[in-house]
Amino acid sequence: MERIVAGMSGGVDSSVAALLLKQQGYDVVGVFMKNWDEKDEDGVCTSTADWEDVQDVCHTIGIPCYSVNFEKEYMDRVFSRFLDEYKKGRTPNPDVLCNREIKFKAFLEFAEKLGAEKISTGHFVRTEMRESRPVLLRGADTNKDQSYFLYMLKERQLAKAVFPVGGMLKSQVRAMARDAGLSVSGKKDSTGICFIGERNFRAFLQNYLPAMPGDMRTEAGETVGRHIGLAYYTLGQRKGLGIGGRGDGRSWFVLQKDLKNNILIVGQGEDHPSLYSNRIEASEATWIAGAAPMPEGVPFRCTAKFRYRQPDQQVSILQSGDTLFIEADEPQRAVTPGQSAVFYQGDRCLGGAIVDTAIPIREKR
RNA sequence: UGGGGUAUCGCCAAGCGGUAAGGCACGGGACUUUGACUCCCGCAUCGUAGGUUCAAAUCCUGCUACCCCAG
């Protein structure tokens, strides 16, 4: 009987994933990962509660369960880079790294040591063999598709993974959990950084990044406020600026970071022109198939997402050396350095790259 | 010091005798496995002390503060 190690977070999705595998006759072993040790703002250690949920669910399903600790790996391979990026004034996405380095690497290796052929997670994505090679497809529930977070995986990682709920709708997953009597069937979807959880983001960052106050200025150079450190803001952000009543009365948004002078450039209006770009330069391109879908220097038409859950955007991409040039058909709002651009061809996720620069539209030449 | 003006929520700002618009900020919630965006809800008795009136943020008087002009 084939053994599968089910990664279980204590949430509905991974629980139902394990349940489905069990029903399909696999030798399922549930494993809970603890990768972060800290209480939340209320002094509650959510991972303890989640671990209890996992034990509960495993008991109901009738599978053994274990817990494994990757705190060190998470800190070394994910969180340290996360902080480095912030220190550079960028806005990283820790979860794409977490998937590549932890869930589909450290955890996968651990599962193999347990004698498992494969691992499962509760991600809403599908895989399929095409020409005897695994491809990553969007989840069937277009509203919950999580392929964006898995673009850094490679074929050999995909080949070792199963995503039992990828073909289902979220509503079906919940219904199945309820019918099976899983205690977590009504549990709220978790959000926030994976393993760290939902928290006051600014306060959280303040534990790791030094304050470096400076001016907030308009593009014209007028000082309109103070910031507590450029790292605490991201492009297109509105909340937290604390500027009210100035100018034409509209809301203020972060337009740019001037790291050299420690100045946050802000402007009014959700649709401020400086927030829009259609030419983006990215690097660290990774392709699930191992190589880009097009030769170097040749443009390629596909769709892209510049943030999770963004509707597909029509783009042309062109690789030149280490740089990936992206040209979007439509203007894109607040494309942010450090964030990921993920590429698709139909339902298939091809890979992605990390944004370095978004060139404002009005600088077109 | 003399003359004039203004004082309404943290900020901007309606109101002109009939019982406090709106925007921004902020707080809460929804959405969301990153960060954001978005959406919904909440949020003042009118500088102060008196007076007139059935009724005052709205009229009158004193006080206080700030602004402008003058010299």
mmCIF file with all atom_site columns, all heavy atoms in Angstrom, chain A residues 144-169:
data_model
loop_
_atom_site.group_PDB
_atom_site.id
_atom_site.type_symbol
_atom_site.label_atom_id
_atom_site.label_alt_id
_atom_site.label_comp_id
_atom_site.label_asym_id
_atom_site.label_entity_id
_atom_site.label_seq_id
_atom_site.pdbx_PDB_ins_code
_atom_site.Cartn_x
_atom_site.Cartn_y
_atom_site.Cartn_z
_atom_site.occupancy
_atom_site.B_iso_or_equiv
_atom_site.pdbx_formal_charge
_atom_site.auth_seq_id
_atom_site.auth_comp_id
_atom_site.auth_asym_id
_atom_site.auth_atom_id
_atom_site.pdbx_PDB_model_num
ATOM 1   N N   . LYS A 1 144 ? -10.571 30.226 -5.333  1.00 0.00 ? 144 LYS A N   1
ATOM 2   C CA  . LYS A 1 144 ? -9.626  29.815 -4.289  1.00 0.00 ? 144 LYS A CA  1
ATOM 3   C C   . LYS A 1 144 ? -8.285  29.355 -4.859  1.00 0.00 ? 144 LYS A C   1
ATOM 4   O O   . LYS A 1 144 ? -7.399  28.940 -4.097  1.00 0.00 ? 144 LYS A O   1
ATOM 5   C CB  . LYS A 1 144 ? -10.224 28.663 -3.468  1.00 0.00 ? 144 LYS A CB  1
ATOM 6   C CG  . LYS A 1 144 ? -11.418 29.030 -2.608  1.00 0.00 ? 144 LYS A CG  1
ATOM 7   C CD  . LYS A 1 144 ? -11.072 30.021 -1.519  1.00 0.00 ? 144 LYS A CD  1
ATOM 8   C CE  . LYS A 1 144 ? -10.168 29.424 -0.462  1.00 0.00 ? 144 LYS A CE  1
ATOM 9   N NZ  . LYS A 1 144 ? -9.931  30.371 0.662   1.00 0.00 ? 144 LYS A NZ  1
ATOM 10  N N   . ASP A 1 145 ? -8.150  29.393 -6.162  1.00 0.00 ? 145 ASP A N   1
ATOM 11  C CA  . ASP A 1 145 ? -6.922  28.914 -6.804  1.00 0.00 ? 145 ASP A CA  1
ATOM 12  C C   . ASP A 1 145 ? -5.667  29.443 -6.109  1.00 0.00 ? 145 ASP A C   1
ATOM 13  O O   . ASP A 1 145 ? -5.519  30.654 -5.902  1.00 0.00 ? 145 ASP A O   1
ATOM 14  C CB  . ASP A 1 145 ? -6.930  29.349 -8.270  1.00 0.00 ? 145 ASP A CB  1
ATOM 15  C CG  . ASP A 1 145 ? -5.557  29.167 -8.901  1.00 0.00 ? 145 ASP A CG  1
ATOM 16  O OD1 . ASP A 1 145 ? -4.945  28.107 -8.681  1.00 0.00 ? 145 ASP A OD1 1
ATOM 17  O OD2 . ASP A 1 145 ? -5.105  30.109 -9.591  1.00 0.00 ? 145 ASP A OD2 1
ATOM 18  N N   . GLN A 1 146 ? -4.759  28.547 -5.758  1.00 0.00 ? 146 GLN A N   1
ATOM 19  C CA  . GLN A 1 146 ? -3.553  28.957 -5.048  1.00 0.00 ? 146 GLN A CA  1
ATOM 20  C C   . GLN A 1 146 ? -2.269  28.672 -5.818  1.00 0.00 ? 146 GLN A C   1
ATOM 21  O O   . GLN A 1 146 ? -1.180  28.638 -5.238  1.00 0.00 ? 146 GLN A O   1
ATOM 22  C CB  . GLN A 1 146 ? -3.504  28.253 -3.683  1.00 0.00 ? 146 GLN A CB  1
ATOM 23  C CG  . GLN A 1 146 ? -4.576  28.789 -2.740  1.00 0.00 ? 146 GLN A CG  1
ATOM 24  C CD  . GLN A 1 146 ? -4.757  27.951 -1.499  1.00 0.00 ? 146 GLN A CD  1
ATOM 25  O OE1 . GLN A 1 146 ? -4.675  26.737 -1.563  1.00 0.00 ? 146 GLN A OE1 1
ATOM 26  N NE2 . GLN A 1 146 ? -5.004  28.590 -0.376  1.00 0.00 ? 146 GLN A NE2 1
ATOM 27  N N   . SER A 1 147 ? -2.406  28.485 -7.113  1.00 0.00 ? 147 SER A N   1
ATOM 28  C CA  . SER A 1 147 ? -1.206  28.202 -7.906  1.00 0.00 ? 147 SER A CA  1
ATOM 29  C C   . SER A 1 147 ? -0.204  29.348 -7.837  1.00 0.00 ? 147 SER A C   1
ATOM 30  O O   . SER A 1 147 ? 1.002   29.136 -7.974  1.00 0.00 ? 147 SER A O   1
ATOM 31  C CB  . SER A 1 147 ? -1.591  27.928 -9.365  1.00 0.00 ? 147 SER A CB  1
ATOM 32  O OG  . SER A 1 147 ? -2.346  29.000 -9.891  1.00 0.00 ? 147 SER A OG  1
ATOM 33  N N   . TYR A 1 148 ? -0.722  30.549 -7.614  1.00 0.00 ? 148 TYR A N   1
ATOM 34  C CA  . TYR A 1 148 ? 0.170   31.707 -7.504  1.00 0.00 ? 148 TYR A CA  1
ATOM 35  C C   . TYR A 1 148 ? 1.288   31.437 -6.499  1.00 0.00 ? 148 TYR A C   1
ATOM 36  O O   . TYR A 1 148 ? 2.421   31.833 -6.698  1.00 0.00 ? 148 TYR A O   1
ATOM 37  C CB  . TYR A 1 148 ? -0.644  32.927 -7.069  1.00 0.00 ? 148 TYR A CB  1
ATOM 38  C CG  . TYR A 1 148 ? 0.154   34.208 -6.916  1.00 0.00 ? 148 TYR A CG  1
ATOM 39  C CD1 . TYR A 1 148 ? 0.366   35.058 -7.996  1.00 0.00 ? 148 TYR A CD1 1
ATOM 40  C CD2 . TYR A 1 148 ? 0.705   34.557 -5.681  1.00 0.00 ? 148 TYR A CD2 1
ATOM 41  C CE1 . TYR A 1 148 ? 1.102   36.230 -7.854  1.00 0.00 ? 148 TYR A CE1 1
ATOM 42  C CE2 . TYR A 1 148 ? 1.444   35.724 -5.534  1.00 0.00 ? 148 TYR A CE2 1
ATOM 43  C CZ  . TYR A 1 148 ? 1.641   36.555 -6.618  1.00 0.00 ? 148 TYR A CZ  1
ATOM 44  O OH  . TYR A 1 148 ? 2.378   37.700 -6.471  1.00 0.00 ? 148 TYR A OH  1
ATOM 45  N N   . PHE A 1 149 ? 0.940   30.758 -5.414  1.00 0.00 ? 149 PHE A N   1
ATOM 46  C CA  . PHE A 1 149 ? 1.917   30.550 -4.337  1.00 0.00 ? 149 PHE A CA  1
ATOM 47  C C   . PHE A 1 149 ? 2.878   29.390 -4.611  1.00 0.00 ? 149 PHE A C   1
ATOM 48  O O   . PHE A 1 149 ? 3.815   29.176 -3.860  1.00 0.00 ? 149 PHE A O   1
ATOM 49  C CB  . PHE A 1 149 ? 1.200   30.289 -3.018  1.00 0.00 ? 149 PHE A CB  1
ATOM 50  C CG  . PHE A 1 149 ? 0.478   31.505 -2.491  1.00 0.00 ? 149 PHE A CG  1
ATOM 51  C CD1 . PHE A 1 149 ? -0.897  31.598 -2.584  1.00 0.00 ? 149 PHE A CD1 1
ATOM 52  C CD2 . PHE A 1 149 ? 1.194   32.559 -1.927  1.00 0.00 ? 149 PHE A CD2 1
ATOM 53  C CE1 . PHE A 1 149 ? -1.558  32.726 -2.117  1.00 0.00 ? 149 PHE A CE1 1
ATOM 54  C CE2 . PHE A 1 149 ? 0.538   33.690 -1.460  1.00 0.00 ? 149 PHE A CE2 1
ATOM 55  C CZ  . PHE A 1 149 ? -0.841  33.771 -1.556  1.00 0.00 ? 149 PHE A CZ  1
ATOM 56  N N   . LEU A 1 150 ? 2.591   28.633 -5.679  1.00 0.00 ? 150 LEU A N   1
ATOM 57  C CA  . LEU A 1 150 ? 3.406   27.436 -5.935  1.00 0.00 ? 150 LEU A CA  1
ATOM 58  C C   . LEU A 1 150 ? 4.263   27.560 -7.188  1.00 0.00 ? 150 LEU A C   1
ATOM 59  O O   . LEU A 1 150 ? 4.855   26.579 -7.631  1.00 0.00 ? 150 LEU A O   1
ATOM 60  C CB  . LEU A 1 150 ? 2.491   26.203 -6.059  1.00 0.00 ? 150 LEU A CB  1
ATOM 61  C CG  . LEU A 1 150 ? 1.679   25.850 -4.805  1.00 0.00 ? 150 LEU A CG  1
ATOM 62  C CD1 . LEU A 1 150 ? 0.900   24.557 -5.038  1.00 0.00 ? 150 LEU A CD1 1
ATOM 63  C CD2 . LEU A 1 150 ? 2.585   25.696 -3.591  1.00 0.00 ? 150 LEU A CD2 1
ATOM 64  N N   . TYR A 1 151 ? 4.348   28.746 -7.729  1.00 0.00 ? 151 TYR A N   1
ATOM 65  C CA  . TYR A 1 151 ? 5.047   28.880 -9.012  1.00 0.00 ? 151 TYR A CA  1
ATOM 66  C C   . TYR A 1 151 ? 6.537   28.564 -8.953  1.00 0.00 ? 151 TYR A C   1
ATOM 67  O O   . TYR A 1 151 ? 7.172   28.316 -9.965  1.00 0.00 ? 151 TYR A O   1
ATOM 68  C CB  . TYR A 1 151 ? 4.838   30.292 -9.571  1.00 0.00 ? 151 TYR A CB  1
ATOM 69  C CG  . TYR A 1 151 ? 5.784   31.344 -9.017  1.00 0.00 ? 151 TYR A CG  1
ATOM 70  C CD1 . TYR A 1 151 ? 7.008   31.595 -9.662  1.00 0.00 ? 151 TYR A CD1 1
ATOM 71  C CD2 . TYR A 1 151 ? 5.481   32.073 -7.882  1.00 0.00 ? 151 TYR A CD2 1
ATOM 72  C CE1 . TYR A 1 151 ? 7.887   32.563 -9.163  1.00 0.00 ? 151 TYR A CE1 1
ATOM 73  C CE2 . TYR A 1 151 ? 6.343   33.032 -7.376  1.00 0.00 ? 151 TYR A CE2 1
ATOM 74  C CZ  . TYR A 1 151 ? 7.546   33.269 -8.015  1.00 0.00 ? 151 TYR A CZ  1
ATOM 75  O OH  . TYR A 1 151 ? 8.416   34.204 -7.526  1.00 0.00 ? 151 TYR A OH  1
ATOM 76  N N   . MET A 1 152 ? 7.097   28.577 -7.756  1.00 0.00 ? 152 MET A N   1
ATOM 77  C CA  . MET A 1 152 ? 8.536   28.322 -7.646  1.00 0.00 ? 152 MET A CA  1
ATOM 78  C C   . MET A 1 152 ? 8.872   26.830 -7.611  1.00 0.00 ? 152 MET A C   1
ATOM 79  O O   . MET A 1 152 ? 10.034  26.461 -7.541  1.00 0.00 ? 152 MET A O   1
ATOM 80  C CB  . MET A 1 152 ? 9.102   28.977 -6.394  1.00 0.00 ? 152 MET A CB  1
ATOM 81  C CG  . MET A 1 152 ? 9.323   30.476 -6.534  1.00 0.00 ? 152 MET A CG  1
ATOM 82  S SD  . MET A 1 152 ? 10.222  31.119 -5.104  1.00 0.00 ? 152 MET A SD  1
ATOM 83  C CE  . MET A 1 152 ? 10.495  32.818 -5.649  1.00 0.00 ? 152 MET A CE  1
ATOM 84  N N   . LEU A 1 153 ? 7.852   25.979 -7.637  1.00 0.00 ? 153 LEU A N   1
ATOM 85  C CA  . LEU A 1 153 ? 8.125   24.548 -7.583  1.00 0.00 ? 153 LEU A CA  1
ATOM 86  C C   . LEU A 1 153 ? 8.679   24.061 -8.920  1.00 0.00 ? 153 LEU A C   1
ATOM 87  O O   . LEU A 1 153 ? 8.483   24.694 -9.953  1.00 0.00 ? 153 LEU A O   1
ATOM 88  C CB  . LEU A 1 153 ? 6.848   23.777 -7.246  1.00 0.00 ? 153 LEU A CB  1
ATOM 89  C CG  . LEU A 1 153 ? 6.206   24.109 -5.894  1.00 0.00 ? 153 LEU A CG  1
ATOM 90  C CD1 . LEU A 1 153 ? 5.079   23.129 -5.607  1.00 0.00 ? 153 LEU A CD1 1
ATOM 91  C CD2 . LEU A 1 153 ? 7.240   24.085 -4.781  1.00 0.00 ? 153 LEU A CD2 1
ATOM 92  N N   . LYS A 1 154 ? 9.344   22.936 -8.861  1.00 0.00 ? 154 LYS A N   1
ATOM 93  C CA  . LYS A 1 154 ? 9.878   22.316 -10.063 1.00 0.00 ? 154 LYS A CA  1
ATOM 94  C C   . LYS A 1 154 ? 9.164   20.987 -10.318 1.00 0.00 ? 154 LYS A C   1
ATOM 95  O O   . LYS A 1 154 ? 8.520   20.447 -9.425  1.00 0.00 ? 154 LYS A O   1
ATOM 96  C CB  . LYS A 1 154 ? 11.385  22.081 -9.894  1.00 0.00 ? 154 LYS A CB  1
ATOM 97  C CG  . LYS A 1 154 ? 12.194  23.369 -9.859  1.00 0.00 ? 154 LYS A CG  1
ATOM 98  C CD  . LYS A 1 154 ? 12.064  24.091 -11.189 1.00 0.00 ? 154 LYS A CD  1
ATOM 99  C CE  . LYS A 1 154 ? 12.677  25.484 -11.211 1.00 0.00 ? 154 LYS A CE  1
ATOM 100 N NZ  . LYS A 1 154 ? 13.978  25.602 -10.594 1.00 0.00 ? 154 LYS A NZ  1
ATOM 101 N N   . GLU A 1 155 ? 9.324   20.483 -11.504 1.00 0.00 ? 155 GLU A N   1
ATOM 102 C CA  . GLU A 1 155 ? 8.650   19.235 -11.868 1.00 0.00 ? 155 GLU A CA  1
ATOM 103 C C   . GLU A 1 155 ? 8.870   18.116 -10.856 1.00 0.00 ? 155 GLU A C   1
ATOM 104 O O   . GLU A 1 155 ? 7.949   17.388 -10.497 1.00 0.00 ? 155 GLU A O   1
ATOM 105 C CB  . GLU A 1 155 ? 9.147   18.766 -13.243 1.00 0.00 ? 155 GLU A CB  1
ATOM 106 C CG  . GLU A 1 155 ? 8.568   19.557 -14.391 1.00 0.00 ? 155 GLU A CG  1
ATOM 107 C CD  . GLU A 1 155 ? 9.051   19.033 -15.733 1.00 0.00 ? 155 GLU A CD  1
ATOM 108 O OE1 . GLU A 1 155 ? 9.960   18.168 -15.746 1.00 0.00 ? 155 GLU A OE1 1
ATOM 109 O OE2 . GLU A 1 155 ? 8.518   19.496 -16.764 1.00 0.00 ? 155 GLU A OE2 1
ATOM 110 N N   . ARG A 1 156 ? 10.103  17.993 -10.395 1.00 0.00 ? 156 ARG A N   1
ATOM 111 C CA  . ARG A 1 156 ? 10.363  16.853 -9.512  1.00 0.00 ? 156 ARG A CA  1
ATOM 112 C C   . ARG A 1 156 ? 9.658   17.014 -8.171  1.00 0.00 ? 156 ARG A C   1
ATOM 113 O O   . ARG A 1 156 ? 9.325   16.042 -7.509  1.00 0.00 ? 156 ARG A O   1
ATOM 114 C CB  . ARG A 1 156 ? 11.863  16.636 -9.324  1.00 0.00 ? 156 ARG A CB  1
ATOM 115 C CG  . ARG A 1 156 ? 12.555  17.723 -8.591  1.00 0.00 ? 156 ARG A CG  1
ATOM 116 C CD  . ARG A 1 156 ? 13.972  17.307 -8.187  1.00 0.00 ? 156 ARG A CD  1
ATOM 117 N NE  . ARG A 1 156 ? 14.555  18.403 -7.410  1.00 0.00 ? 156 ARG A NE  1
ATOM 118 C CZ  . ARG A 1 156 ? 14.946  19.552 -7.959  1.00 0.00 ? 156 ARG A CZ  1
ATOM 119 N NH1 . ARG A 1 156 ? 14.854  19.738 -9.263  1.00 0.00 ? 156 ARG A NH1 1
ATOM 120 N NH2 . ARG A 1 156 ? 15.423  20.518 -7.198  1.00 0.00 ? 156 ARG A NH2 1
ATOM 121 N N   . GLN A 1 157 ? 9.400   18.260 -7.790  1.00 0.00 ? 157 GLN A N   1
ATOM 122 C CA  . GLN A 1 157 ? 8.637   18.467 -6.559  1.00 0.00 ? 157 GLN A CA  1
ATOM 123 C C   . GLN A 1 157 ? 7.159   18.168 -6.796  1.00 0.00 ? 157 GLN A C   1
ATOM 124 O O   . GLN A 1 157 ? 6.496   17.541 -5.980  1.00 0.00 ? 157 GLN A O   1
ATOM 125 C CB  . GLN A 1 157 ? 8.802   19.906 -6.066  1.00 0.00 ? 157 GLN A CB  1
ATOM 126 C CG  . GLN A 1 157 ? 10.209  20.206 -5.538  1.00 0.00 ? 157 GLN A CG  1
ATOM 127 C CD  . GLN A 1 157 ? 10.455  21.687 -5.330  1.00 0.00 ? 157 GLN A CD  1
ATOM 128 O OE1 . GLN A 1 157 ? 10.414  22.436 -6.300  1.00 0.00 ? 157 GLN A OE1 1
ATOM 129 N NE2 . GLN A 1 157 ? 10.713  22.091 -4.101  1.00 0.00 ? 157 GLN A NE2 1
ATOM 130 N N   . LEU A 1 158 ? 6.676   18.618 -7.948  1.00 0.00 ? 158 LEU A N   1
ATOM 131 C CA  . LEU A 1 158 ? 5.274   18.361 -8.287  1.00 0.00 ? 158 LEU A CA  1
ATOM 132 C C   . LEU A 1 158 ? 4.999   16.866 -8.395  1.00 0.00 ? 158 LEU A C   1
ATOM 133 O O   . LEU A 1 158 ? 3.938   16.383 -8.000  1.00 0.00 ? 158 LEU A O   1
ATOM 134 C CB  . LEU A 1 158 ? 4.919   19.014 -9.623  1.00 0.00 ? 158 LEU A CB  1
ATOM 135 C CG  . LEU A 1 158 ? 4.655   20.511 -9.623  1.00 0.00 ? 158 LEU A CG  1
ATOM 136 C CD1 . LEU A 1 158 ? 4.239   20.939 -11.030 1.00 0.00 ? 158 LEU A CD1 1
ATOM 137 C CD2 . LEU A 1 158 ? 3.564   20.855 -8.622  1.00 0.00 ? 158 LEU A CD2 1
ATOM 138 N N   . ALA A 1 159 ? 5.990   16.163 -8.922  1.00 0.00 ? 159 ALA A N   1
ATOM 139 C CA  . ALA A 1 159 ? 5.815   14.724 -9.119  1.00 0.00 ? 159 ALA A CA  1
ATOM 140 C C   . ALA A 1 159 ? 5.633   14.005 -7.797  1.00 0.00 ? 159 ALA A C   1
ATOM 141 O O   . ALA A 1 159 ? 5.100   12.900 -7.749  1.00 0.00 ? 159 ALA A O   1
ATOM 142 C CB  . ALA A 1 159 ? 7.023   14.152 -9.867  1.00 0.00 ? 159 ALA A CB  1
ATOM 143 N N   . LYS A 1 160 ? 6.085   14.626 -6.741  1.00 0.00 ? 160 LYS A N   1
ATOM 144 C CA  . LYS A 1 160 ? 6.004   13.998 -5.418  1.00 0.00 ? 160 LYS A CA  1
ATOM 145 C C   . LYS A 1 160 ? 4.809   14.487 -4.611  1.00 0.00 ? 160 LYS A C   1
ATOM 146 O O   . LYS A 1 160 ? 4.670   14.171 -3.435  1.00 0.00 ? 160 LYS A O   1
ATOM 147 C CB  . LYS A 1 160 ? 7.279   14.325 -4.622  1.00 0.00 ? 160 LYS A CB  1
ATOM 148 C CG  . LYS A 1 160 ? 8.521   13.677 -5.179  1.00 0.00 ? 160 LYS A CG  1
ATOM 149 C CD  . LYS A 1 160 ? 8.537   12.216 -4.814  1.00 0.00 ? 160 LYS A CD  1
ATOM 150 C CE  . LYS A 1 160 ? 9.890   11.585 -5.167  1.00 0.00 ? 160 LYS A CE  1
ATOM 151 N NZ  . LYS A 1 160 ? 9.896   10.156 -4.761  1.00 0.00 ? 160 LYS A NZ  1
ATOM 152 N N   . ALA A 1 161 ? 3.992   15.359 -5.230  1.00 0.00 ? 161 ALA A N   1
ATOM 153 C CA  . ALA A 1 161 ? 2.910   15.968 -4.467  1.00 0.00 ? 161 ALA A CA  1
ATOM 154 C C   . ALA A 1 161 ? 1.531   15.606 -5.021  1.00 0.00 ? 161 ALA A C   1
ATOM 155 O O   . ALA A 1 161 ? 1.367   15.453 -6.230  1.00 0.00 ? 161 ALA A O   1
ATOM 156 C CB  . ALA A 1 161 ? 3.075   17.479 -4.467  1.00 0.00 ? 161 ALA A CB  1
ATOM 157 N N   . VAL A 1 162 ? 0.605   15.452 -4.093  1.00 0.00 ? 162 VAL A N   1
ATOM 158 C CA  . VAL A 1 162 ? -0.785  15.286 -4.518  1.00 0.00 ? 162 VAL A CA  1
ATOM 159 C C   . VAL A 1 162 ? -1.622  16.357 -3.828  1.00 0.00 ? 162 VAL A C   1
ATOM 160 O O   . VAL A 1 162 ? -1.350  16.728 -2.683  1.00 0.00 ? 162 VAL A O   1
ATOM 161 C CB  . VAL A 1 162 ? -1.352  13.882 -4.188  1.00 0.00 ? 162 VAL A CB  1
ATOM 162 C CG1 . VAL A 1 162 ? -0.663  12.834 -5.036  1.00 0.00 ? 162 VAL A CG1 1
ATOM 163 C CG2 . VAL A 1 162 ? -1.205  13.572 -2.718  1.00 0.00 ? 162 VAL A CG2 1
ATOM 164 N N   . PHE A 1 163 ? -2.618  16.837 -4.582  1.00 0.00 ? 163 PHE A N   1
ATOM 165 C CA  . PHE A 1 163 ? -3.467  17.920 -4.072  1.00 0.00 ? 163 PHE A CA  1
ATOM 166 C C   . PHE A 1 163 ? -4.921  17.471 -4.159  1.00 0.00 ? 163 PHE A C   1
ATOM 167 O O   . PHE A 1 163 ? -5.626  17.815 -5.103  1.00 0.00 ? 163 PHE A O   1
ATOM 168 C CB  . PHE A 1 163 ? -3.247  19.183 -4.904  1.00 0.00 ? 163 PHE A CB  1
ATOM 169 C CG  . PHE A 1 163 ? -1.795  19.625 -4.946  1.00 0.00 ? 163 PHE A CG  1
ATOM 170 C CD1 . PHE A 1 163 ? -1.018  19.408 -6.085  1.00 0.00 ? 163 PHE A CD1 1
ATOM 171 C CD2 . PHE A 1 163 ? -1.224  20.248 -3.841  1.00 0.00 ? 163 PHE A CD2 1
ATOM 172 C CE1 . PHE A 1 163 ? 0.315   19.816 -6.117  1.00 0.00 ? 163 PHE A CE1 1
ATOM 173 C CE2 . PHE A 1 163 ? 0.108   20.656 -3.875  1.00 0.00 ? 163 PHE A CE2 1
ATOM 174 C CZ  . PHE A 1 163 ? 0.880   20.436 -5.016  1.00 0.00 ? 163 PHE A CZ  1
ATOM 175 N N   . PRO A 1 164 ? -5.354  16.704 -3.199  1.00 0.00 ? 164 PRO A N   1
ATOM 176 C CA  . PRO A 1 164 ? -6.676  16.065 -3.269  1.00 0.00 ? 164 PRO A CA  1
ATOM 177 C C   . PRO A 1 164 ? -7.856  17.017 -3.406  1.00 0.00 ? 164 PRO A C   1
ATOM 178 O O   . PRO A 1 164 ? -8.889  16.635 -3.962  1.00 0.00 ? 164 PRO A O   1
ATOM 179 C CB  . PRO A 1 164 ? -6.754  15.280 -1.956  1.00 0.00 ? 164 PRO A CB  1
ATOM 180 C CG  . PRO A 1 164 ? -5.323  15.044 -1.580  1.00 0.00 ? 164 PRO A CG  1
ATOM 181 C CD  . PRO A 1 164 ? -4.620  16.293 -1.996  1.00 0.00 ? 164 PRO A CD  1
ATOM 182 N N   . VAL A 1 165 ? -7.748  18.236 -2.908  1.00 0.00 ? 165 VAL A N   1
ATOM 183 C CA  . VAL A 1 165 ? -8.916  19.120 -2.996  1.00 0.00 ? 165 VAL A CA  1
ATOM 184 C C   . VAL A 1 165 ? -8.837  20.056 -4.202  1.00 0.00 ? 165 VAL A C   1
ATOM 185 O O   . VAL A 1 165 ? -9.724  20.878 -4.410  1.00 0.00 ? 165 VAL A O   1
ATOM 186 C CB  . VAL A 1 165 ? -9.099  19.974 -1.707  1.00 0.00 ? 165 VAL A CB  1
ATOM 187 C CG1 . VAL A 1 165 ? -9.252  19.069 -0.494  1.00 0.00 ? 165 VAL A CG1 1
ATOM 188 C CG2 . VAL A 1 165 ? -7.969  20.961 -1.530  1.00 0.00 ? 165 VAL A CG2 1
ATOM 189 N N   . GLY A 1 166 ? -7.791  19.920 -4.987  1.00 0.00 ? 166 GLY A N   1
ATOM 190 C CA  . GLY A 1 166 ? -7.583  20.832 -6.120  1.00 0.00 ? 166 GLY A CA  1
ATOM 191 C C   . GLY A 1 166 ? -8.681  20.811 -7.157  1.00 0.00 ? 166 GLY A C   1
ATOM 192 O O   . GLY A 1 166 ? -8.881  21.790 -7.877  1.00 0.00 ? 166 GLY A O   1
ATOM 193 N N   . GLY A 1 167 ? -9.404  19.700 -7.221  1.00 0.00 ? 167 GLY A N   1
ATOM 194 C CA  . GLY A 1 167 ? -10.463 19.607 -8.213  1.00 0.00 ? 167 GLY A CA  1
ATOM 195 C C   . GLY A 1 167 ? -11.827 19.950 -7.645  1.00 0.00 ? 167 GLY A C   1
ATOM 196 O O   . GLY A 1 167 ? -12.844 19.871 -8.323  1.00 0.00 ? 167 GLY A O   1
ATOM 197 N N   . MET A 1 168 ? -11.825 20.342 -6.379  1.00 0.00 ? 168 MET A N   1
ATOM 198 C CA  . MET A 1 168 ? -13.110 20.604 -5.716  1.00 0.00 ? 168 MET A CA  1
ATOM 199 C C   . MET A 1 168 ? -13.353 22.093 -5.530  1.00 0.00 ? 168 MET A C   1
ATOM 200 O O   . MET A 1 168 ? -12.447 22.912 -5.635  1.00 0.00 ? 168 MET A O   1
ATOM 201 C CB  . MET A 1 168 ? -13.114 19.937 -4.327  1.00 0.00 ? 168 MET A CB  1
ATOM 202 C CG  . MET A 1 168 ? -12.916 18.435 -4.372  1.00 0.00 ? 168 MET A CG  1
ATOM 203 S SD  . MET A 1 168 ? -12.663 17.738 -2.701  1.00 0.00 ? 168 MET A SD  1
ATOM 204 C CE  . MET A 1 168 ? -14.283 17.968 -1.970  1.00 0.00 ? 168 MET A CE  1
ATOM 205 N N   . LEU A 1 169 ? -14.600 22.392 -5.205  1.00 0.00 ? 169 LEU A N   1
ATOM 206 C CA  . LEU A 1 169 ? -14.934 23.756 -4.809  1.00 0.00 ? 169 LEU A CA  1
ATOM 207 C C   . LEU A 1 169 ? -14.794 23.837 -3.288  1.00 0.00 ? 169 LEU A C   1
ATOM 208 O O   . LEU A 1 169 ? -14.958 22.852 -2.591  1.00 0.00 ? 169 LEU A O   1
ATOM 209 C CB  . LEU A 1 169 ? -16.387 24.080 -5.184  1.00 0.00 ? 169 LEU A CB  1
ATOM 210 C CG  . LEU A 1 169 ? -16.721 24.044 -6.669  1.00 0.00 ? 169 LEU A CG  1
ATOM 211 C CD1 . LEU A 1 169 ? -18.211 24.323 -6.871  1.00 0.00 ? 169 LEU A CD1 1
ATOM 212 C CD2 . LEU A 1 169 ? -15.880 25.066 -7.430  1.00 0.00 ? 169 LEU A CD2 1
#
